[in-house]
């Protein structure tokens, strides 16, 4: 879909973002903003731009701001918020405007821009992103319609196509890898580091498939206890993580800490205490929860989120036909959104034109009726005739404003021809 605007046309939306589509994990983790910091960042969006929505997941960081903005300004803001090198912005923070930005968010909500095609978690993340935008006072009518239609489209995609049937997710792929790469899944001890949504989903999938035992550790002990209770496991104090690590056959690391919580020294020490027993570590954190150097430790099998992408790519290939079906829905809904936006732009001119015509009609009617000796019924018939005449005269100009693709040209012409930006002339004296 084209992203061009004719000269003078009002800008609708500016967006910049980075995702797994265009950046490796080593770059995406530089743009990660912790869940604790996001509320303040969203308030800063409202202060800096007046309005704007951030969509932040493990594989993307995107900022949508209504109106005309320099993409470099939005990119600079995200760099500041994430503490990223501004030089990375030029290479990886891709700009989109207007129709392209709208269709992109629709594709995200529909699950066809995800690393795992059709995954359902993203729809809830889009919904939560807009709820947080509202809470920060950074929403507008445009953002409200944009996100609500995106959420509605996400539901349509999953009910009208098979894009979500049997869909995987990063968390479920992590659990799948844990089952496949562990010699005895039913007897395996699993340690989950991080009690966020990604860790919870991965651990829940393992429990559903009969994994041996689950231990949960988190910086906030109450969250670890709540998740452990939900999973039928046990919580581990964060300070005892090192000792627990040596007992774990599988580690699911899913924190959003700015620095790795599992480094090579800690993992190597755990392997010594394991007396040669292998260990699988699956890191689905962004930024990574583990030092990638642990992959070189003998006995450790290490997978990060990008390592899981090969499995996701195989899944995507099998869903190519469904992706095409969803893309048609995205195009359809994007067209509807643009029609709404264009109508929103032309509506004030139509209202002003109708109001100007009504002022002229009433002025001339009053002057004429003062000169005529008419009874009440005759006066009503004359008034009805003038109203009908004005409607007939305005019908074609208003239809052209609503229907023509070059509406902005017509809007300018109508406002000039009917002097809609000037005060109305006083009615002529009788």
């Amino acid at each position: 879909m084209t992203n061009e605007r004719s000269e003078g046309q009002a800008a609708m939306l500016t967006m910049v973002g980075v995702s797994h589509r265009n950046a490796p994990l080593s770059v995406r983790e530089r743009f990660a903003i912790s869940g604790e910091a996001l509320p303040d960042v969203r308030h800063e969006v409202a202060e800096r731009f007046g309005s704007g929505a951030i969509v932040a997941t493990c594989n993307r960081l995107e900022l949508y701001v209504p109106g005309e903005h320099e993409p470099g300004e939005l990119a600079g803001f995200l760099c500041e918020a994430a503490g990223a090198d501004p030089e990375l912005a030029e290479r990886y923070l891709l700009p989109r405007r207007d129709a392209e930005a709208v269709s992109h968010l629709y594709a995200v909500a529909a699950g066809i821009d995800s690393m795992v095609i059709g995954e359902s978690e993203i729809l809830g993340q889009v919904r939560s992103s807009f709820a947080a935008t509202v809470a920060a006072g950074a929403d507008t009518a445009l953002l409200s319609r944009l996100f609500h239609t995106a959420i509605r489209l996400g539901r349509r995609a999953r009910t009208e196509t098979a894009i979500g049937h049997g869909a995987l997710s990063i968390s479920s792929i992590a659990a799948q890898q844990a089952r496949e790469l562990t010699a005895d899944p039913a007897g395996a001890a699993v340690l989950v580091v991080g009690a966020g949504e990604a860790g919870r989903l991965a651990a829940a999938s393992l429990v559903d498939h009969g994994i041996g035992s689950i231990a949960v550790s988190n910086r906030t002990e109450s969250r670890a206890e709540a998740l452990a209770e939900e999973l039928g496991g046990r919580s581990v104090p964060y300070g005892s993580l090192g000792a627990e690590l040596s007992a774990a056959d599988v580690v699911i690391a899913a924190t959003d800490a700015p620095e790795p919580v599992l480094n090579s020294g800690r993992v190597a020490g755990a392997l010594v205490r394991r007396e040669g027993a292998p260990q699988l570590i699956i890191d689905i954190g962004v930024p990574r929860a583990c030092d990638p150097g642990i992959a070189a430790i003998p006995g450790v099998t290490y997978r990060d989120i990008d390592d899981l992408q090969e499995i996701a790519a195989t899944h995507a290939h099998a869903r190519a036909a469904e992706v095409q079906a969803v893309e048609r829905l995205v195009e359809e809904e994007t067209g509807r959104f643009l029609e709404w936006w264009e109508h929103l732009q032309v509506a004030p001119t139509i209202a002003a034109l109708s109001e100007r015509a009504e002022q002229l009609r009433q002025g001339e009617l009053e002057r004429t009726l003062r000169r005529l000796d008419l009874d009440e019924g005759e006066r009503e018939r004359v008034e009805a005739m003038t109203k009908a005449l004005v409607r007939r005269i305005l019908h074609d100009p208003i239809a052209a404003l609503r229907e023509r693709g070059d509406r902005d040209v017509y809007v300018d012409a109508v406002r000039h021809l009917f002097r809609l930006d000037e005060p109305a002339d006083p009615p002529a004296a009788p």
Side-chain angles (χ1 to χ4, degrees), residues 319-372:
R319 292 174 176 268
E322 298 306 322
V323 170
Q324 292 177 0
V326 175
E327 286 175 339
R328 289 192 289 271
L329 293 180
V330 168
E331 184 174 359
E332 172 190 322
E333 287 297 328
T334 301
R336 289 179 180 173
F337 188 90
L338 295 180
E339 287 178 4
W340 169 81
W341 170 255
E342 290 171 354
H343 176 73
L344 199 65
Q345 303 311 295
V346 79
T349 295
I350 292 174
L353 176 60
S354 300
E355 183 180 356
R356 177 60 57 88
E358 178 64 13
Q359 289 173 344
L360 293 172
R361 185 194 71 81
Q362 289 183 4
E364 292 301 319
L365 180 64
E366 290 175 5
R367 184 174 67 174
T368 299
L369 290 179
R370 282 197 294 266
R371 295 175 175 175
L372 300 176

Side-chain angles (χ1 to χ4, degrees), residues 119-136:
E119 58 99 353
S120 60
E121 294 171 20
I122 186 62
L123 185 57
Q125 291 167 331
V126 170
R127 184 185 295 108
S128 297
S129 295
F130 183 65
T133 298
V134 173

Side-chain angles (χ1 to χ4, degrees), residues 35 107 157 167 212 374:
L374 303 176

Side-chain angles (χ1 to χ4, degrees), residues 58-59 114-119 121 166-182 198-199 201-206 209 250-252 280-284 303-316 319:
C58 61
N59 277 320
S114 297
M115 180 181 288
V116 183
I117 298 297
E119 58 99 353
E121 294 171 20
L168 301 176
S169 67
I170 288 298
S171 298
S172 63
I173 289 176
Q176 180 187 76
Q177 285 284 282
R179 296 193 305 273
E180 292 179 356
L181 298 177
T182 303
L201 291 171
S205 180
L206 286 170
H209 287 83
V250 178
V251 179
I252 303 291
L280 171 64
I281 299 179
I282 301 178
D283 184 352
I284 54 176
R303 298 284 188 272
D304 65 24
I305 202 167
D306 274 3
D307 292 326
L308 306 181
Q309 193 163 3
E310 292 182 13
I311 301 171
T314 302
H315 182 74
R319 292 174 176 268

